[in-house]
Amino acid sequence: MALLGLVVGVPVAVFVLLGGPLTVDVPVLLAVLCTAIVAERLNVHVEFRRQSFHSSASELAFVLALVELGGAWTAVTRAAAVALVLSTQRLPAAKVVFNAAVAVIEAGVAVAVLAVLPAGDVTEPRSWVSYLLAIFAANVVSAVLVAGAITLAQGYPGRAIWVGILVPLVVVGPVAVLIGLAILLLLHVTVWAWLIMTPLAAALVLLHRRFAAVTQESQSLERVYDFARRVEEVQSDEAGTRQIVQAVRELLNAERVALWLPPYLDEGPRLVVVTEDGADWYDGPGDPDDLLRRRAVASADGVIHVAAARADEAERAALARRGVSDLLGAPVTTAAGEPGYLEVCDRRSDLVTFSTSERGALDSMLTHVNAAIRQQQLLTRIRYDADHDRLTGLPNRQRLSAEIDELLSAGSSRVRAGLILASLGTYADVTDTLGHAASDELLLVTAGLLREHAPPRALLARMEREQFAVLLPGLSLAATEQAARRLREAAATRVRVAGLDLEVSLSLGVVATPMHGTDAGVLMQRADVALLAAEESGGVASYHPVLDQQSLRRLQLGTELEQAMADGQITVVFQPVVEAQSNDIVSVETLVRWVHPRYGNVPPEEVIGLAEQIGRIGAVTDHVLDLALARCRRWLDQGIALAVAVNVSARSLAEPDLVDRIRGALERHQVPGELLILELTESSVVDDAVRESSVLDDLHDLGLRLSMDDFGTGYSSLSQLRQLPIDELKIDKSFVLTMATSQGESFIARSIIELAHNLGLCVVAEGVEDEMTRNQLTTMGCDKLQGFLISRPLPEDRLEKWLLARAGVRSAAPGDAHRRLFVRT
């Protein structure tokens, strides 16, 4: 850059010096030089990565020099003033040389323009225009040279740099030239004009300082807005945390930024570092005993600023440890209870250091950083709880299934693994005799025994109720059977529960891959079959095809599905949903039931899974929808408006004619769309195929409402929820059932309610089974409640009896043709 300045600037200087008079009035020269130095010190700094440039009111001295000194001495005074001021600011010699050369070039350009334009006596108006145009042209050439130097050094900076350069050039430059010309005119009239010039010069200084302050404030505010926008778009994972740190670094133009986060759930402490040189670690921020980190975390004033020039010995040692000279540090609020720590080190600029503006900007950014980190940790907690059993803290069935599939997909087709499914034999008796608290205590003791005696590489999981699972990577069937026997013997002990000595007795079903299956679903299904055999024998049993009556059962159920709908075997039950504040019954959820003549009650999830497997999920959905809308129509005929909710599976959302079928059902039963709610699983709503299609928008256009069911068990993010036409969220009952006794679940429920309300969504809590939970949810602002406390799912005839016994009727509101039901208290 310095070489470029010399190559261009020296020939111009020679041209200027040889082309103009060299005689000069020394007092005038000194006065102009002093004016130029003062003007150069009144500057506005603009940064681009490592490069800094400044804009000043030097045009005032520039026009004075051109008029009073001529081109040669104008070049000398400008170059001298620039070199002197930048040297006192300790800029690199190369930058000083470059800027001095640019000052010489500006003088040359101005002289060249004045040689073409009429520039007579300063009292002539046309001379004023000539000087304005000459200095404007000089400034434009200077701006091009500065932008070119930065482009050569670090690449094209984009339009932002032109805004930073040209705004002062257009706003400040002409004003300074005009003030300079006014000063010259006054001096031509009387030497006493300095009495007027002094306040004018002071006004120019104040104007320029105010311009500099406004520019800095505007840049700081723009950085904070830009940061907030970027943080809203980050992903809710580790990559998102790095994006936050990167945004802080870019917007504060820092050499490096580090973010330390404390351990949370099953995650250890994390140190996320983003640096100029790409390093992912440096000494200091990850040390809990580090002086600067401890001081920042304990600070009551938020952001701390430590600079080597003003640091004491201990602070300088902490800075030297990092290899930096300027640092901003701040505490970060987390959901872990322990604060995190954010530090920003060294500006990349070679001129500007951290100031009050950057400290304030970081303080403003911290609000968004804290919100983003807490949101990420909340989603982490929701996902963790979705993958883990609340009581024991063990992975659940969903997590185990994912682990099995990951294990099998990571190896060859001959990878070996054993799976043990264990059932606690005394669980039902303890629950019936001593209650759920005692059975929960027994489960915790059993989980502890299994943890203690399971092989080192085993993955232990809690399935449901009294069942546990143990995944054993690398074991054959024989080795898994041996491990199961040892586990059963080790766990066969007496434990004290609820003041009684109880025996732990396990039945264990064993399967192994690849002989019993090569995916999680098949392995767990066959482990269930083996466990049934083990419970009958009271010991350990391995899967064998002879035991697999489930396959025959599913085959028979699949062949009878259509006829079962036609014969009325597949029916629905209704569970009321009430408004939390008014007790109004606002809807009923429609749930499928199949009472088989041979197999009895078929679980709803098995009905849906079977229908999806044989490609008849559309028929089942239509059947349930017809029954729900028919019931809704009968209520309408009685003058009562009561919405019905129907579950729609992910597979159904992919059917191309789903919207037309639902539209036809609404028309066929003459039910308005607002009385139909479609409940969609969280995983189906965020599925890429569903999001990329228009099915949700098309359904919403029918006037019906869309509800995200079982929220908290999937992987939706804030940005996805904003983009979807969802009207309400249903908090999964796993978060609600233990709210009264668990602060963790209560916190999650409150967070989901606040999240939904911030997005303009209604919230339904399912699984409300006691008054304490109901009161908590009402206090939190939950909109609707559903659960056994209000009513169990009831067939139509029993629902009518329940409504007669428990419900009252409100008169129709003004303008509404239908009455509403409410639960009498």
Side-chain angles (χ1 to χ4, degrees):
M1 189 164 62
L3 181 61
L4 174 65
L6 288 171
V7 169
V8 179
V10 171
V12 173
V14 173
F15 168 77
V16 172
L17 289 171
L18 294 179
L22 298 180
T23 59
V24 67
D25 186 340
V26 175
V28 175
L29 174 65
L30 294 176
V32 172
L33 178 61
C34 291
T35 304
I37 292 172
V38 172
E40 285 294 335
R41 293 193 65 85
L42 298 173
N43 50 42
V44 179
H45 294 291
V46 181
E47 296 176 69
F48 178 71
R49 297 178 185 165
R50 290 185 172 275
Q51 302 299 326
S52 301
F53 59 90
H54 66 273
S55 169
S56 68
S58 59
E59 289 83 359
L60 188 151
F62 197 175
V63 72
L64 292 177
L66 285 172
V67 174
E68 297 295 331
L69 303 178
W73 291 106
T74 297
V76 172
T77 54
R78 284 185 59 73
V82 168
L84 180 62
V85 171
L86 296 185
S87 296
T88 59
Q89 292 174 347
R90 298 182 180 180
L91 259 67
K95 180 160 283 192
V96 174
V97 171
F98 174 79
N99 282 278
V102 169
V104 173
I105 294 171
E106 288 176 341
V109 171
V111 169
V113 173
L114 290 173
V116 176
L117 297 176
D121 191 86
V122 75
T123 59
E124 297 179 8
R126 62 179 183 176
S127 296
W128 307 342
V129 176
S130 298
Y131 282 112
L132 276 169
L133 293 176
I135 294 177
F136 182 78
N139 284 340
V140 170
V141 171
S142 173
V144 171
L145 287 173
V146 170
I150 291 178
T151 301
L152 289 175
Q154 296 184 358
Y156 181 62
R159 63 184 297 269
I161 193 172
W162 294 108
V163 174
I165 295 175
L166 295 179
V167 168
L169 185 150
V170 173
V171 175
V172 179
V175 174
V177 172
L178 292 175
I179 292 177
L181 290 170
I183 291 172
L184 288 170
L185 288 171
L186 289 171
L187 287 173
H188 275 70
V189 174
T190 174
V191 293
W192 293 102
W194 65 270
L195 293 174
I196 300 175
M197 291 188 297
T198 301
L200 280 175
L204 178 61
V205 170
L206 293 175
L207 174 64
H208 196 272
R209 284 185 173 177
R210 182 56 188 161
F211 174 78
V214 170
T215 299
Q216 194 172 34
E217 291 171 5
S218 174
Q219 290 172 348
S220 178
L221 189 61
E222 186 177 348
R223 288 201 301 265
V224 173
Y225 283 153
D226 187 34
F227 181 80
R229 178 185 55 77
R230 292 178 61 178
V231 167
E232 279 189 357
E233 297 172 356
V234 301
Q235 304 170 15
S236 55
D237 53 16
E238 187 170 349
T241 307
R242 180 167 292 276
Q243 289 172 348
I244 294 172
V245 177
Q246 179 67 33
V248 173
R249 176 176 171 269
E250 290 179 2
L251 294 173
L252 290 179
N253 197 27
E255 286 279 355
R256 62 178 73 162
V257 176
L259 173 64
W260 181 87
L261 295 174
Y264 186 64
L265 300 177
D266 57 351
E267 298 177 349
R270 286 193 293 155
L271 178 64
V272 182
V273 173
V274 177
T275 66
E276 175 77 9
D277 57 8
D280 58 4
W281 182 89
Y282 66 91
D283 194 18
D287 181 4
D289 296 323
D290 177 73
L291 172 68
L292 302 182
R293 172 173 153 180
R294 284 191 291 108
R295 184 172 299 175
V297 169
S299 171
D301 299 327
V303 179
I304 66 167
H305 181 200
V306 181
R310 300 183 299 274
D312 57 32
E313 185 176 350
E315 290 172 338
R316 281 195 295 272
L319 291 172
R321 177 185 188 184
R322 294 163 166 79
V324 302
S325 59
D326 206 12
L327 179 143
L328 296 175
V332 174
T333 305
T334 71
E338 180 182 356
Y341 170 62
L342 176 70
E343 72 174 32
V344 184
C345 300
D346 284 349
R347 294 291 287 272
R348 287 192 286 178
S349 167
D350 53 9
L351 178 63
V352 184
T353 58
F354 291 130
S355 64
T356 304
S357 175
E358 281 70 41
R359 185 174 177 178
L362 180 58
D363 200 26
S364 299
M365 289 178 192
L366 278 176
T367 302
H368 303 285
V369 172
N370 290 336
I373 296 299
R374 287 180 65 84
Q375 175 190 317
Q376 288 183 344
Q377 291 184 327
L378 172 60
L379 293 175
T380 298
R381 178 58 189 262
I382 291 174
R383 291 169 184 168
Y384 177 88
D385 288 339
D387 281 346
H388 291 77
D389 173 55
R390 300 297 178 79
L391 177 65
T392 63
L394 294 174
N396 58 16
R397 175 183 286 272
Q398 175 178 303
R399 175 69 178 274
L400 176 67
S401 176
E403 291 287 344
I404 293 173
D405 285 335
E406 183 178 352
L407 175 66
L408 298 181
S409 64
S412 66
S413 59
R414 303 299 298 173
V415 66
R416 297 194 304 180
L419 178 64
I420 301 171
L421 194 61
S423 177
L424 182 58
T426 53
Y427 175 83
D429 293 337
V430 171
T431 302
D432 293 341
T433 306
L434 302 177
H436 285 287
S439 61
D440 286 348
E441 187 178 348
L442 179 61
L443 288 171
L444 286 170
V445 172
T446 305
L449 290 171
L450 292 173
R451 279 194 185 99
E452 180 181 354
H453 297 292
R457 292 183 58 208
L459 173 67
L460 183 62
R462 163 102 187 275
M463 303 299 275
E464 56 272 317
R465 290 179 56 81
E466 73 274 20
Q467 289 187 3
F468 295 86
V470 184
L471 177 63
L472 302 167
L475 268 61
S476 64
L477 177 60
T480 304
E481 289 173 339
Q482 186 177 0
R485 285 190 289 269
R486 284 200 302 265
L487 200 58
R488 185 172 188 274
E489 292 170 3
T493 184
R494 298 189 70 82
V495 297
R496 194 160 186 81
V497 174
L500 300 175
D501 289 330
L502 302 178
E503 183 178 357
V504 176
S505 175
L506 295 177
S507 300
L508 300 102
V510 177
V511 293
T513 186
M515 66 177 58
H516 293 149
T518 56
D519 66 76
V522 173
L523 283 173
M524 289 194 289
Q525 185 267 329
R526 291 178 174 174
D528 275 324
V529 174
L531 180 60
L532 289 173
E535 288 174 337
E536 292 177 1
S537 63
V540 177
S542 296
Y543 171 79
H544 190 278
V546 173
L547 303 173
D548 198 2
Q549 296 301 316
Q550 290 294 99
S551 297
L552 295 176
R553 177 177 179 272
R554 287 181 67 81
L555 178 62
Q556 184 172 352
L557 290 175
T559 58
E560 296 177 2
L561 183 67
E562 290 280 359
Q563 192 61 42
M565 288 188 286
D567 294 345
Q569 291 179 17
I570 297 181
T571 59
V572 294
V573 294
F574 303 94
Q575 187 172 29
V577 179
V578 303
E579 282 188 348
Q581 298 293 338
S582 66
N583 261 3
D584 282 5
I585 305 172
V586 291
S587 64
V588 291
E589 182 177 1
T590 312
L591 303 168
V592 68
R593 292 293 185 266
W594 186 359
V595 181
H596 192 273
R598 177 179 175 186
Y599 299 119
N601 289 321
V602 181
E605 59 271 17
E606 186 176 354
V607 176
I608 301 303
L610 178 63
E612 289 184 332
Q613 185 179 14
I614 65 175
R616 300 304 298 157
I617 186 62
V620 173
T621 300
D622 292 345
H623 180 69
V624 173
L625 184 64
D626 274 329
L627 293 175
L629 292 177
R631 176 65 270 183
C632 184
R633 180 66 257 172
R634 287 194 289 275
W635 278 319
L636 286 173
D637 292 341
Q638 297 169 15
I640 296 172
L642 190 56
V644 289
V646 176
N647 290 276
V648 177
S649 73
R651 192 74 59 86
S652 292
L653 286 176
E655 295 176 331
D657 61 342
L658 175 67
V659 177
D660 292 335
R661 293 186 351 243
I662 293 178
R663 181 187 294 109
L666 289 170
E667 294 173 352
R668 187 165 57 253
H669 293 280
Q670 297 182 357
V671 172
E674 60 265 22
L675 292 182
L676 175 61
I677 303 169
L678 296 185
E679 295 193 3
L680 317 170
T681 62
E682 187 176 358
S683 58
S684 68
V685 168
V686 300
D687 181 79
D688 288 340
V690 172
R691 289 171 55 209
E692 291 172 3
S693 71
S694 63
V695 61
L696 297 182
D697 290 311
D698 294 341
L699 289 171
H700 208 263
D701 290 343
L702 296 178
L704 50 80
R705 286 173 286 165
L706 299 181
S707 174
M708 183 180 286
D709 198 12
D710 301 332
F711 181 75
T713 61
Y715 297 90
S716 59
S717 68
L718 288 178
S719 59
Q720 290 172 327
L721 288 181
R722 288 193 187 96
Q723 298 164 7
L724 297 171
I726 299 298
D727 299 288
E728 69 179 26
L729 298 183
K730 295 191 74 173
I731 305 176
D732 184 66
K733 63 183 178 182
S734 62
F735 296 107
V736 177
L737 288 173
T738 56
M739 273 183 55
T741 57
S742 171
Q743 290 185 347
E745 275 63 37
S746 180
F747 169 76
I748 290 173
R750 183 187 301 275
S751 300
I752 292 175
I753 291 170
E754 291 177 355
L755 164 67
H757 286 169
N758 288 338
L759 295 174
L761 303 179
C762 177
V763 182
V764 183
E766 53 183 347
V768 181
E769 297 189 359
D770 56 75
E771 288 289 349
M772 184 178 294
T773 301
R774 176 183 187 143
N775 293 337
Q776 278 185 286
L777 288 165
T778 303
T779 303
M780 291 175 185
C782 185
D783 302 290
K784 303 175 186 178
L785 306 175
Q786 177 181 356
F788 286 2
L789 178 66
I790 297 152
S791 172
R792 293 176 177 271
L794 301 171
E796 185 175 350
D797 56 341
R798 290 182 58 192
L799 177 65
E800 287 299 315
K801 294 177 181 178
W802 183 87
L803 290 174
L804 288 172
R806 295 287 307 279
V809 181
R810 296 192 196 279
S811 301
D816 193 346
H818 300 96
R819 297 171 295 164
R820 298 187 69 178
L821 301 176
F822 68 95
V823 177
R824 291 194 295 263
T825 56

